[in-house]
């Protein structure tokens, strides 16, 4: 009795995501090709001068394994399967082998191929339906890594010849879902129209947060039917139900990639590794670092894959499109990749496009010492090692565009992780040919002087890896370029997700790691390298050992998106960058950057989208942060403009001061929650040794439905004693959009209150806690930073026995910095590191040492203060002491045009010092109180030859640019300290240790003078203002209007 077939599901209806939709950025789309589908124009297999493999030449060997060589000066066409296995198929330089578009298809099985002439299937105007299948056989030699077989073994060795393969053009080769498909569903709604065929395989890429061999939600499905729809780009019914939920929401959508092509290059079944991952590995020690999940891929497994490969070398040409590469690549065998453009120099007509690479044991495509090639619109899935791969670091002007990489597997002894910012260092070995493969990612960009446009990566240690190479590597090692100093052509429209599960600091985009040689050994440091000279990303307009400020260049990334990365959306350990147009959704932390100039403009940081996040059952989502942005501890500069934070920060009654809505931030929900330590903004405050200068500025910030806003983060615990870095946190909120006072605001740590709470109008934030100082409440208010040294023996203990970097070492107070005036009897504890940041533009800072001591010599350096903001500084000496003050430039040779040292002259009042040019001092002989004005100076001169108070517009030396360094973007300017110059205060006093004067200061007399800042009849009301019945006067003498 015939059965009634089950009804075929109709295409779902409802709302759909439109092609390329993104809320904040523009995702570029691949161009429409001139030919879509197949075509028969100018087909080489239709030419008249061909000899037929079977009927004319009888080239099929009489037994399996025999070599075949085409006759010279012939063009041979294959129109039917070759029934025996060939050993090596040789195409002489004067000959061509053409694979026809025949009804029965063409299949050839062989051990290898040498192409010195030409291998053809179709042409750029003849895109063939096929099928054409080239299968390569052969087992892996035991010494394949140390003694790689000839490139003709189990592959196509294009040895000065041409490979020209042109399969049917499928467009799009990959797209995204336009509507979420639930587990059990059989219809995929696609954003774009496609011309895919029934029976083809596709990959439905994960939208889970983990994508690895031990746990993933990628699915390979077969097309059963193209379902009619007018509501979205296309509807595809698959032959088996979907096993997991794949998301399409406004924030992000799952990719769908076509795997099948009409031309196929594959390894035989003997290609599979003989050491498969048993899938039962765990690392309970690192469970804490992986959000509660001990499971991991079994490392040092899957090392014997031995698939097919294609190498184009010796000046050959590669024109490959519409080709499927399956069971390809030879693990750890140098140069044996699915598609390899090898040492071709400029090859502007070479390409791999509209193809697929899946089940690859080693990479996807390598561009190796080759320039101007194009790799575009390819689909890669299930790949060991880096996928899209710029090999040596000298590859430039290539285009990698609109490619998809998914399900990427690391190679090596372990998955790199670290405590803090560092990881173990890995060396080349027979089980790790490229040390960097321990962090295999979808894209490996060793030189950014290329076009990287519209690509997407899922899985891997990171999505996109940008390692620092101080020199090229491999066969290009002696080429005299520095890859990590290269400037980009275009980095635009790229996306990464489901990466960064293995370490808190890695994620979708990772500008970090260093690949280098040490004593001849090839090494890779995946974490942050502290060899700043060699392993830093230093982009400069000219080649020079030290990049002068006027020559500094920034790496621009535009229209970038990262989502579902447990670690970080984008991390840059070094290098000046401009991140213009960035979306972060459902990441642990949106951006992490350690840079002396990092600008983020037009960012959307949606820490939680509200979409349930798919994770292994052992993982708790509340162990994954939902942080917006973190400021770092020292020698950085961050500017954020026109940026929105949404659903960031932990939601609890403790943090409801700004928003009480029940859906603000993120909470403890099992699938959408976040860590209880999550915040919109956080500051690293664990260190006494490394402390902030004037490093952060913002404008145009919007916080939508957020929870905890501010967090002074000490990794030892929030209840730890205050540190120097915690006390000196500061922030320039130029329009008050962060404080929501909407007036220029100075934001700082609330501790110590006598230092930062400069008047009664300061707004106290209870969350950080922070203070918000209204900048326009005084005429000259701003921030300043100074580093001071006076006792070498004391300072040399910093970072060791005292004042450490988060090691809980004791950090004793040795004095006090306070504002002048009777209102401020307490202030900032003076600690051995000698770093201080604070409000400038007031009556001045007064520094006192414990026990009334005075330093014989006090040196100030790393000064940052706006030239328009007077920073007065006072210190007392024993009565009868004579003093001198001078500025000393660095890298300076005195001449008739330039001076290198400025000796200060005496002024008759503190007001004269304030209003002077920064080279005056006032010294009270009766009390011993010295007052100076601290100013920023040029690095390498003090005058030309006369002293000058430089402004932001002052020109410096022609080779340097402006006299004062700064980082300014988007209407925010941060002063940048100069390394080397210093200000020194010297006391001529008896001293038994040459460090401190023997006699103590006259504390009572000094304090009385320090506090004498207000005119008669007025009381001090702020650090820069006195008021009385007749009105108010500011520190600069101006009257309050």
């Amino acid at each position: 009795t015939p059965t009634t077939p089950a009804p075929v599901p109709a295409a779902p209806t409802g709302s759909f995501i439109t092609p390329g939709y993104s809320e904040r950025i523009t995702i570029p789309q691949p161009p429409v090709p001139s030919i879509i589908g197949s075509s028969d124009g100018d087909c080489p297999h239709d030419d008249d001068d061909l000899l037929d493999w079977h009927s004319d030449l009888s080239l099929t060997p009489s037994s399996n394994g025999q070599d075949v060589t085409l006759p010279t000066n012939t063009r041979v066409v294959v129109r039917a399967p070759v029934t025996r296995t060939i050993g090596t198929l040789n195409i002489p330089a004067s000959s061509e082998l053409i694979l026809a578009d025949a009804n029965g298809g063409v299949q050839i099985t062989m051990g290898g191929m040498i192409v010195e002439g030409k291998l053809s299937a179709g042409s750029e105007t003849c895109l063939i339906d096929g099928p054409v299948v080239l299968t390569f056989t052969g087992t892996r030699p035991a010494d394949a890594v140390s003694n790689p077989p000839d490139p003709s073994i189990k592959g196509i060795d294009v040895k000065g010849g041409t490979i020209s393969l042109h399969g049917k053009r499928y467009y799009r080769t990959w797209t995204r879902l336009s509507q979420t498909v639930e587990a059990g569903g059989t219809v995929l709604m696609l954003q774009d129209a496609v011309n895919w065929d029934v029976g083809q395989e596709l990959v439905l890429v994960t939208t889970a947060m983990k994508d690895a061999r031990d746990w993933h939600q990628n699915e390979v499905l077969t097309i059963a039917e193209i379902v009619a729809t007018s509501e979205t780009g296309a509807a595809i019914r698959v032959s088996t139900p979907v096993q997991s939920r794949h998301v399409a929401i406004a924030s992000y959508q799952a990719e769908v990639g076509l795997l099948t092509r009409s031309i196929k290059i594959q390894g035989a079944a003997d290609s599979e590794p003989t050491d498969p991952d048993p899938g039962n590995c765990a690392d309970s020690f690192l469970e804490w670092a992986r959000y509660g999940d001990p499971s991991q891929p079994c490392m040092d497994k899957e090392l014997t894959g031995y698939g097919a490969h294609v190498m184009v070398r010796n000046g050959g040409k590669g024109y490959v499109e519409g080709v499927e590469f399956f069971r390809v690549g030879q693990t750890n065998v140098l140069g044996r990749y699915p598609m390899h453009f090898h040492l071709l120099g400029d090859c502007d007509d070479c390409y791999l496009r509209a193809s697929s690479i899946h089940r690859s044991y080693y990479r996807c495509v390598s561009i190796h010492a080759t320039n101007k090639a194009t790799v575009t619109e390819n689909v890669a899935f299930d790949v060991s090692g880096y996928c899209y791969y710029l090999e040596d670091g000298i590859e430039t002007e290539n285009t990698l565009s609109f490619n998809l990489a998914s399900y990427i597997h690391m190679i090596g002894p372990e998955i790199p992780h670290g405590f803090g910012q560092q990881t173990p260092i890995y060396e080349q070995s027979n089980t790790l040919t490229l040390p960097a493969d321990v962090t295999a990612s979808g894209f490996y960009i060793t030189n950014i002087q290329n076009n990287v446009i519209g690509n997407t990566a899922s899985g891997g240690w990171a999505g996109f890896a940008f390692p620092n190479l101080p020199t090229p590597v491999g066969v290009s090692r002696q080429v005299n370029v520095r890859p990590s100093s290269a400037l980009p052509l275009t980095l635009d429209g790229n996306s990464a997700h489901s990466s960064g599960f293995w370490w808190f600091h890695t994620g979708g985009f990772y500008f970090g790691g260093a690949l280098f040689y040490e004593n001849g050994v090839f090494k890779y440091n995946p974490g942050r390298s502290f060899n700043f000279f060699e392993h830093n990303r230093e982009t400069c307009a000219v080649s020079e050992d030290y990049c002068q400020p006027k020559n500094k260049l920034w790496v621009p990334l535009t229209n970038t998106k990262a989502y579902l990365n447990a670690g970080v959306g984008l991390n840059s350990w070094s290098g000046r960058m401009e991140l213009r147009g960035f979306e972060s959704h459902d990441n642990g932390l949106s951006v992490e950057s350690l840079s002396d100039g990092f600008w983020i403009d037009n960012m959307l940081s949606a820490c939680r989208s509200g979409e349930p996040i798919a994770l292994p059952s052992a993982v708790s989502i509340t162990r994954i942060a939902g942080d917006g942005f973190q400021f770092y501890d020292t020698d950085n500069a961050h500017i954020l403009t026109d940026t929105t934070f949404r659903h960031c920060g932990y939601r609890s009654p403790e943090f409801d001061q700004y928003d009480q809505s029940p859906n603000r931030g993120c909470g403890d929900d099992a699938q959408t929650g976040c860590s209880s330590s999550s915040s919109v903004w956080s500051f690293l405050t664990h260190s006494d040794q490394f402390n902030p200068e004037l490093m952060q500025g913002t404008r145009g910030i919007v916080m939508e439905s957020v929870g905890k806003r501010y967090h002074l983060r000490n990794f030892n615990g929030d209840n730890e004693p205050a540190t120097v870095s915690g006390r000196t946190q500061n922030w320039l909120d130029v329009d008050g959009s962060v404080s929501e006072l909407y007036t220029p605001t100075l934001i700082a740590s609330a501790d110590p209150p006598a230092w930062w709470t400069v008047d009664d109008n300061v707004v106290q934030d209870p969350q950080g806690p922070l203070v918000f100082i209204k900048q326009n409440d005084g005429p000259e208010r701003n921030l300043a930073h100074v580093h001071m040294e006076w006792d070498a023996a004391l300072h040399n203990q910093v970072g060791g026995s005292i004042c450490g970097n988060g090691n809980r070492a004791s950090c004793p107070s040795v004095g006090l910095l306070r504002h002048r005036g009777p209102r401020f009897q307490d202030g900032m504890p003076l600690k051995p590191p000698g770093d201080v940041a604070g409000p400038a533009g007031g009556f001045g800072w007064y520094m006192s040492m414990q026990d009334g001591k005075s330093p014989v010599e006090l040196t100030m350096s790393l000064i940052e203060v706006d030239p328009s903001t007077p920073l007065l500084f006072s210190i007392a000496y024993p009565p009868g002491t004579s003093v001198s003050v001078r500025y000393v430039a660095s890298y300076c040779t005195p001449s008739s045009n330039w001076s290198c040292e400025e000796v200060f002259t005496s002024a008759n009042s503190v007001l004269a010092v304030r209003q002077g040019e920064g080279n005056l001092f006032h010294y009270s002989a009766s009390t011993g109180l010295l007052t100076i004005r601290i100013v920023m100076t040029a690095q390498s001169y003090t005058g030309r030859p006369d002293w000058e108070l430089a402004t932001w517009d002052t020109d410096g030396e022609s080779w340097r640019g402006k006299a004062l360094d700064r980082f300014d973007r988007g209407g925010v300017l941060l002063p940048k300290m100069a390394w080397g110059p210093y200000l020194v205060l010297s006391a001529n006093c008896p001293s038994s240790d040459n460090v401190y004067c023997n006699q103590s200061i006259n504390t009572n007399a000094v304090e009385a003078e320090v506090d004498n800042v207000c005119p008669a009849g007025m009381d001090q009301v702020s650090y820069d203002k006195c008021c009385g019945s007749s009105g108010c006067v500011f520190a600069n003498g101006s009257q309050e209007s």
Side-chain angles (χ1 to χ4, degrees), residues 178-254:
S178 60
Q179 191 177 73
T180 295
V181 57
E182 303 289 347
T186 58
V187 177
L188 310 181
M189 307 300 287
L190 309 183
Q191 292 182 19
D192 299 286
V194 295
N195 63 328
W196 301 351
D197 298 322
V198 171
Q200 290 185 310
E201 282 189 333
L202 57 80
V203 57
L204 177 58
V205 178
T206 185
T207 50
M209 195 171 264
K210 184 178 181 181
D211 185 9
R213 272 201 306 260
D214 63 300
W215 191 93
H216 70 97
Q217 292 186 350
N218 302 288
E219 303 188 45
V220 176
L221 305 166
T222 301
I223 299 174
E225 182 184 8
I226 309 298
V227 182
T229 181
S230 59
E231 294 189 88
T232 189
I236 300 287
R237 185 169 66 85
V238 293
S239 59
T240 55
V242 171
Q243 298 299 302
S244 302
R245 187 171 191 261
H246 294 259
V247 173
I249 58 175
S251 302
Y252 49 81
Q253 309 90 41

Side-chain angles (χ1 to χ4, degrees), residues 269-387:
D270 60 10
S271 303
E272 287 290 337
T274 57
D275 60 336
D277 185 339
N280 61 356
C281 291
D283 191 332
S284 58
F285 174 71
L286 286 176
E287 179 180 328
W288 66 272
R290 295 170 184 166
Y291 318 104
D293 183 16
S295 175
Q296 66 174 43
C298 295
M299 303 305 292
D300 270 345
K301 294 292 183 181
E302 304 263 347
L303 298 180
T304 55
Y306 194 62
H309 77 96
V310 177
M311 177 187 284
V312 183
R313 63 181 179 128
N314 290 18
K317 294 289 187 179
Y319 314 117
V320 178
E321 60 182 329
V323 174
E324 177 183 355
F325 295 80
F326 175 62
R327 290 199 296 241
V328 283
Q330 300 172 3
T331 311
N332 275 324
V333 182
L334 188 65
R336 306 305 187 261
Y337 319 128
M339 187 71 201
H340 185 186
F341 296 104
H342 180 69
L343 308 182
L344 299 180
D346 289 350
C347 195
D348 54 2
D349 55 348
C350 290
Y351 56 79
L352 173 69
R353 64 191 184 204
S355 297
S356 71
I357 301 164
H358 57 121
R359 194 59 182 142
S360 172
Y361 315 115
Y362 207 33
R363 318 217 184 288
C364 300
V365 54
S366 170
I367 300 177
H368 186 193
T370 297
N371 308 316
K372 302 181 181 179
T374 298
V375 175
T376 187
E377 296 181 70
N378 300 293
V379 173
F381 170 71
D382 191 9
V383 177
S384 291
Y386 284 104
C387 180

Side-chain angles (χ1 to χ4, degrees), residues 704-721:
E704 293 180 0
S705 190
V706 298
K708 184 177 183 179
R709 296 191 175 197
Y710 312 107
H711 186 190
L712 296 178
R713 177 167 285 149
N714 184 329
F715 61 68
N716 287 318
D718 289 344
N719 294 322
E720 289 286 304

